[in-house]
Amino acid sequence: MALIHLAILLPLIAAIAIGVIYRYYKRLHLGWFVLPVPLIIVIYLLTLVPRVSNNQLIYESLAVMPRIGMNFDVYIDGLGLLFAILISGIGALVVLYSIGYLSHREDLGSFYVYLLMFMSAMLGVVLNDNVLMLYLFWELTSISSFLLIAFWFMKERSLYGAQKSMLITMGGGFLMLGGFILLYIMTGTFSIREMLNQVSAIQESPLAPLAVVLILFGAFTKSAQFPFYIWLPDAMEAPTPVSAYLHSATMVKAGIYLVARLTPLFAFSELWVWIILLGGLITMAWASFNAIRKDDLKAVLAFSTVSQLGLIMSLLGLGALSVVTGANEEYFSIAVVAAVFHLINHATFKGALFMVTGIVDHEAGTRSLKKLGGLLTVMPVSFTLTLITALSMAGLPPFNGFLSKELFLEAMIHVGDANFSALADVAFIFPLLAIVGSIFTFIYSILLIYGVFFGKRTYDTPKEPHEAPALMLISPAILTVLVLVFGFFPNVLSGTIIDPAAMSIMASDTPLETHLYMWHGFANPALWATVFIVITGTLLFYFRDKWMFIYDYHKDRFTLNYLYDQGLIYSRFGSRKITDSYMSGFIRSYLVYIFLFFIVMGILTLLNTGIRISFDDMAPVGIHEMAVVLIILVSIVVILGTKSRMVSIIMLGAIGFSMSLFFVFFRAADLALTQLAIETVTTALFLVCFYHLPKNSRHQERMRFKLTNFLVSLGVALIVIIIGLTAYSNRLFDRISEFHIENVYELAAGGNMVNVILVDFRGFDTLFETLVFGIAGIGIYSLMKLRLNRKDGNNEEHAEESRI
Amino acid sequence: MELITIILSGILIGSAVYMMLSKSVLRIIIGTALLSHGVHLMLLTMGQLKRGNIPVLDEEVSNYSDPLPQALILTAIVIAFALTAYILVLALRSYRELGTDDVEQMKGVPHDD
């Protein structure tokens, strides 16, 4: 248990304390008590930056379940540290923001407990070296995210969104666990660092493609990539601080983290590169295209998040490409830098944008773009923040988004240079998708600024809008300042944060010496791409009324949401159909299943083992025995055929007495006695019940019904006979009764062997048989006497009790 | 002899299955009683039939029939009796309360959910 373990678990510990504080002290906003937690963590993590940037890695182990190799191994390198700082830093800002956003009337205790739980889980994901532990924390993020989305659980949309995100991310997480287990099978370890030493084992294993697909399922569902992005827009029902924190800056980047972390393991795989590269780009273009038609601010931001995540994902694909083609291709190793840099940028500007959206929602009472407009003069500070961050998102100079976008476009334009399978043939697709995605990104960024702050002032907002209190503005302001700082001085990051992170993605030890700067010269194609994007975007934005109709063709029926909803409905419908089809509620059907199963298994077993029946070792048959057999057969036929209850009871008695005759013939005196007595009692019992029993012993049954019954019982009878004969013909060893016979007098001082066995050698059987008898007696007595649910007046008290 | 008793116990079990598959509770109870008879017969047969005397110690006899299956069957008879008695009373009680002895009617009106 080292300090870093404590840092990861601190939010969880704090969550417990917060619950206690919330009960007893309500004067101060609970958020103030929460705020120190992420602050302490971020300060502690920042002290680690110099060590990590000097390539000193931090490793602390803590055995949790060492037998199965599940240890809480914390491993801090550039990548983990970058994510951890993002999580705790933005966590602190979000807590600060939520103090202004959530009022005392909300259930603050639950909110902060969930939030702290999430923070702990997220730190656990990014700082872990053990994949099993990573999976544990991964699911904890899903659970806490589920709780946070459904924070306003009285709203149906919240529950829908929470369920959807839960199903998708948990499903993905579960597949990912499969991938991890495959990795363990291939390498024999759960530690990522030790897997790195065995990359060759993974390369040679035929399981590798399956592991790639399974792990990417986890990453794509969590990071809302195509086609799993559908949960993210619905997760916007969460409170805005949650959306800002979970669904823009941290949780959705868990998938990115996973891909980045495992890139050195899987980069050799073409599957890995293709899926990430193409999947990311398609996500980017598709989501940015769809963002424009939304009129809810948070929905626009949700799609924009999906799109930006796609961008980062595709850059990681290029990074993997650089590993597989030999790390020297400059453009592709620069792609990793771009991915890391854009990750930071996105966290800053998207966090700020969400917070500003929350402010607008909070102050104007609506998030609908149709109702908002002309707030420029009313909310100047929010406008400034939105302007800077949205332009950064659009990728315009001089903000940080421009730098990373530039690197992205540059890398995508040069992708055809790579010497990698069929890449050169389809190379045109990459810049095309990148540029299309960027154009739409530009349009919705402008739309965001224009729709809220410019245009005609509409007066149909639920509240009279005014500028937010300073408390809510601090966090977005800090993030906006970071956008500017990273934009103008990107090199404060490059040596300290970006390079170590990029190095751990590439698994290389040589420093990259990245140098980021605004101006790349006119020869750079990315510059012209940006110019083209801005011009096209502006034109499209200006004439948007002319072409927006194309979204009308995109009917609801063809969306993935529709597919998901229908899938859910049909799986529910289908499983009910299946269950209804066999769980009929008729006891007869269940008996038929049981007996059919018996028949089928019997036949299969007999076929497998073969039937060997010999008739050698049989006792002779006497005439009196044959007579008894005949009596039994006749009785059976009568029972099967008769309708009268009387006849069937008597015939049953006849069979019982014949059985005792059998016991006499077969030298079982005690059995004969018992059988005789018991049969008499049974028959008497039947006759006692006689007056109360229904007159007819059978009901009208259809022919088909009887035929099925006949076939089933015939099958059972045949199987029983065959099994009995084979068992009899194949004796494997002698009987053990010789022991009983020899020792019955010496050991137990008795002459009657059956009785000695019953009470001495195997006395326990008898004890519990007596118990069974007693229980049956008590059961019968209570059945006859106890009448709890009678509805007449004098027994109402009892009726109450029985219901309880 | 064993061949005959095995076939007979097969027939007993088969007809027990047939009875248990019918709709009437009384027939189901009779079916369980038949089933127990069939099983007892099978148990006895597996210990071989008519090989020696009654298993009671006797100076002049050295060959006894197998006492162990007999002890097992004795236990089984008692348990089967307890069970038969119990379900008989159960059937009686349910006939009184529900007014039917048809297991399909006992299920009640099929409901939708």
Side-chain angles (χ1 to χ4, degrees), chain A residues 545-725:
Chain A
D545 294 337
K546 297 249 161 50
W547 58 272
M548 284 293 258
F549 67 89
I550 58 164
Y551 288 108
D552 296 340
Y553 291 108
H554 186 65
K555 292 276 188 282
D556 276 348
R557 197 121 51 89
F558 300 112
T559 56
L560 288 164
N561 256 334
Y562 183 80
L563 211 67
Y564 166 85
D565 288 338
Q566 291 299 307
L568 217 56
I569 289 170
Y570 276 105
S571 67
R572 216 173 280 163
F573 181 74
S575 47
R576 182 193 285 175
K577 271 268 167 291
I578 292 169
T579 312
D580 280 353
S581 69
Y582 70 92
M583 297 295 284
S584 58
F586 294 114
I587 191 166
R588 175 179 171 266
S589 332
Y590 305 150
L591 283 173
V592 168
Y593 304 148
I594 292 170
F595 290 129
L596 279 180
F597 183 75
F598 172 77
I599 293 169
V600 169
M601 292 315 284
I603 290 173
L604 288 181
T605 317
L606 289 172
L607 284 181
N608 250 352
T609 52
I611 308 169
R612 273 194 305 127
I613 298 174
S614 70
F615 297 100
D616 314 330
D617 190 27
M618 300 266 178
V621 184
I623 291 181
H624 46 291
E625 289 153 359
M626 281 317 290
V628 175
V629 169
L630 219 60
I631 294 174
I632 292 182
L633 285 179
V634 170
S635 311
I636 290 174
V637 171
V638 173
I639 287 181
L640 292 180
T642 184
K643 276 190 179 172
S644 150
R645 58 184 164 157
M646 191 67 188
V647 175
S648 29
I649 290 169
I650 291 171
M651 285 302 136
L652 186 64
I655 292 176
F657 293 124
S658 316
M659 283 297 291
S660 66
L661 270 181
F662 262 142
F663 292 144
V664 171
F665 298 148
F666 299 148
R667 278 116 183 166
D670 304 278
L671 282 185
L673 265 175
T674 319
Q675 179 66 34
L676 207 61
I678 278 185
E679 202 51 48
T680 317
V681 177
T682 313
T683 314
L685 202 65
F686 269 103
L687 291 176
V688 167
C689 301
F690 190 81
Y691 281 108
H692 309 290
L693 289 173
K695 272 227 177 60
N696 283 346
S697 77
R698 64 192 268 198
H699 293 264
Q700 284 304 317
E701 286 159 356
R702 287 188 309 278
M703 209 47 215
R704 233 182 87 207
F705 185 87
K706 281 198 255 181
L707 190 67
T708 330
N709 290 359
F710 176 72
L711 287 178
V712 169
S713 44
L714 186 72
V716 172
L718 284 177
I719 294 286
V720 166
I721 291 169
I722 295 171
I723 288 177
L725 284 175

Side-chain angles (χ1 to χ4, degrees), chain A residues 394-440:
Chain A
L396 291 184
F399 309 111
N400 59 1
F402 171 71
L403 295 168
S404 44
K405 204 54 155 292
E406 195 90 321
L407 291 173
F408 166 70
L409 290 169
E410 200 174 336
M412 285 301 160
I413 290 168
H414 286 284
V415 76
D417 302 347
N419 180 20
F420 175 73
S421 69
L423 196 71
D425 303 333
V426 291
F428 67 93
I429 246 178
F430 298 98
L432 188 69
L433 280 174
I435 287 174
V436 167
S438 302
I439 289 172
F440 283 110

Side-chain angles (χ1 to χ4, degrees), chain A residues 284-335:
Chain A
M284 183 205 169
W286 179 246
S288 59
F289 174 69
N290 274 303
I292 294 169
R293 73 199 198 108
K294 300 287 168 193
D295 72 18
D296 181 4
L297 278 178
K298 273 174 97 175
V300 174
L301 288 178
F303 274 103
S304 129
T305 303
V306 174
S307 153
Q308 304 280 323
L309 289 170
L311 188 157
I312 300 172
M313 197 64 103
S314 65
L315 280 173
L316 286 174
L318 280 188
L321 198 60
S322 86
V323 176
V324 69
T325 53
N328 299 325
E329 305 247 5
E330 190 198 347
Y331 292 118
F332 305 138
S333 54
I334 212 76

Side-chain angles (χ1 to χ4, degrees), chain A residues 270-286:
Chain A
E270 289 189 10
L271 202 60
W272 177 269
V273 176
W274 278 114
I275 294 178
I276 297 175
L277 195 56
L278 267 181
L281 273 177
I282 291 170
T283 310
M284 183 205 169
W286 179 246

Side-chain angles (χ1 to χ4, degrees), chain A residues 1-8 44 48 51 56-64 70-77 124 127-130 133 191 193:
Chain A
M1 192 77 157
L3 200 57
I4 188 70
H5 289 118
L6 271 181
I8 293 174
Y44 171 68
L48 299 178
R51 277 171 74 185
Q56 284 177 310
L57 307 176
I58 301 159
Y59 181 77
E60 297 285 350
S61 187
L62 176 72
V64 178
M70 181 170 172
N71 292 324
F72 194 176
D73 295 339
V74 174
Y75 173 61
I76 302 183
D77 60 355
L127 295 181
N128 234 309
D129 183 45
N130 190 295
M133 214 58 193
S191 159
R193 273 202 320 166

